[in-house]
Each structure stands twice: as structure tokens, then as C-alpha cells.
């Protein structure tokens, strides 16, 4: 039995966020996620959101319920909700990046289901998770070299 689960979804902002509003959203999400014991990453590009959450079933359910009831976005489409063997964003209560539109599209349109129905998304990494992790590692490396 897996003690960790992950959820990935896409949605659209109801309106454009100012940089200050986006910062406020991130600060609030990071605090809430830390209390719930949830880690993950949020990608944003021109009003489109992609988010990957991971943690205990109860913690992810608490955070995801809050997200689903938010009036700041619409058109939420769940890409995956599945058990995972480990966290990939363990140091990020809510990592954030703004990929180019084509990267966000590739990540959100990739398959988020494991190759085998019985496997978790970690046992047989789904193409969507592979793309997200590849993007995330590149983005973090670029931040380090730009500092």
C-alpha cells in the first residue's frame, strides 16, 4: 500500500494576474501546503496553470479540495491522481516556474498514466512526469547559472 499520492491538473485563470497577485497566491499556497505536508510545483504561462502535488492522501486531498473550490481559475482538468513511491519535489512546498508556452503545452498534454495499469506513476514513469521533471531540472540549473 502506498502512503503517498500525487495529483496533476491544468486550469485557466479567470483573468490575468499581476506579478504582485501571483506572488500573493504563491505565498498563500506555500504556507497552506507546508501545513498540509504537501510538496509540488506550479507552472504558469499567460493565464494557463499546471500543478503537480504530492504528499499523504489526506494532505493532498485537503490542498486539492481548496484548489478545486478556488474562484481564481476555471476549467480544471485532472490529468492524474495516483499513488507514488516517493516525492520528486520534497524541498518545494510549492515550486514555481514560468515555462514557454510550448513547454507547458507538452507537459500538460502528455500522458500522465503509467505504462501498466497496476503500476504507480513512479514504478513506470509516465511521459508527463518525465517531461515535468526534465523541465524542472533544466529550470533549476538555469537559475543556478544565472545567479
Amino acid at each position: 500500500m502506498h502512503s503517498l499520492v500525487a495529483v496533476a491538473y491544468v486550469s485557466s485563470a479567470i483573468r490575468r494576474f499581476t506579478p504582485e497577485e501571483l506572488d500573493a497566491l504563491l505565498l498563500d499556497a506555500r504556507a497552506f501546503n507546508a501545513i498540509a505536508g504537501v510538496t509540488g510545483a506550479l507552472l504558469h504561462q499567460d493565464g494557463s496553470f499546471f500543478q503537480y502535488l504530492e504528499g499523504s492522501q489526506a494532505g493532498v486531498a485537503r490542498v486539492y479540495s481548496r484548489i478545486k473550490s478556488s474562484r481564481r481559475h476555471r476549467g480544471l482538468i485532472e490529468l492524474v491522481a495516483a499513488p507514488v513511491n516517493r516525492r520528486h519535489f520534497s524541498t518545494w512546498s510549492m515550486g514555481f516556474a514560468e515555462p514557454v508556452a510550448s513547454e507547458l503545452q507538452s507537459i500538460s498534454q502528455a500522458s500522465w498514466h503509467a505504462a501498466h495499469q497496476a503500476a504507480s506513476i513512479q514504478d513506470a514513469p509516465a511521459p508527463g512526469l518525465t517531461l515535468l521533471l526534465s523541465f524542472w531540472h533544466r529550470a533549476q540549473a538555469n537559475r543556478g547559472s544565472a545567479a
Side-chain angles (χ1 to χ4, degrees), residues 7 9 14-15 19 37 45 61 65 76-78 89 99 101 106 113 133 139 144:
V7 169
Y9 74 88
I14 59 164
R15 63 176 178 74
Q45 174 49 248
S65 175
L76 186 145
I77 299 170
E78 185 175 291
F89 295 90
S106 292
H113 296 281
L133 294 173

Side-chain angles (χ1 to χ4, degrees), residues 28-108:
D28 181 57
R30 286 173 175 150
F32 193 85
N33 290 5
I35 291 168
V38 171
T39 55
L42 175 67
L43 307 183
H44 174 260
Q45 174 49 248
D46 196 29
S48 294
F49 290 105
F50 166 89
Q51 188 164 13
Y52 177 86
L53 303 167
E54 58 193 13
S56 71
Q57 188 169 351
V60 170
R62 184 174 174 206
V63 170
Y64 194 40
S65 175
R66 182 178 190 232
I67 289 166
K68 290 191 286 189
S69 66
S70 174
R71 295 182 182 188
R72 295 184 268 199
H73 64 141
R74 64 176 178 255
L76 186 145
I77 299 170
E78 185 175 291
L79 303 173
V80 72
V84 293
N85 291 330
R86 66 183 180 95
R87 293 179 190 250
H88 288 283
F89 295 90
S90 60
T91 60
W92 296 94
S93 61
M94 185 46 51
F96 178 73
E98 294 185 286
V100 296
S102 61
E103 286 177 306
L104 184 62
Q105 185 176 18
S106 292
I107 292 167
S108 62

Side-chain angles (χ1 to χ4, degrees), residues 96-146:
F96 178 73
E98 294 185 286
V100 296
S102 61
E103 286 177 306
L104 184 62
Q105 185 176 18
S106 292
I107 292 167
S108 62
Q109 291 182 354
S111 172
W112 278 86
H113 296 281
H116 304 292
Q117 192 69 3
S120 75
I121 62 174
Q122 300 304 325
D123 292 333
L129 180 59
T130 301
L131 285 172
L132 173 62
L133 294 173
S134 176
F135 164 77
W136 191 257
H137 293 301
R138 282 191 322 275
Q140 296 311 299
N142 289 339
R143 281 186 183 172
S145 64

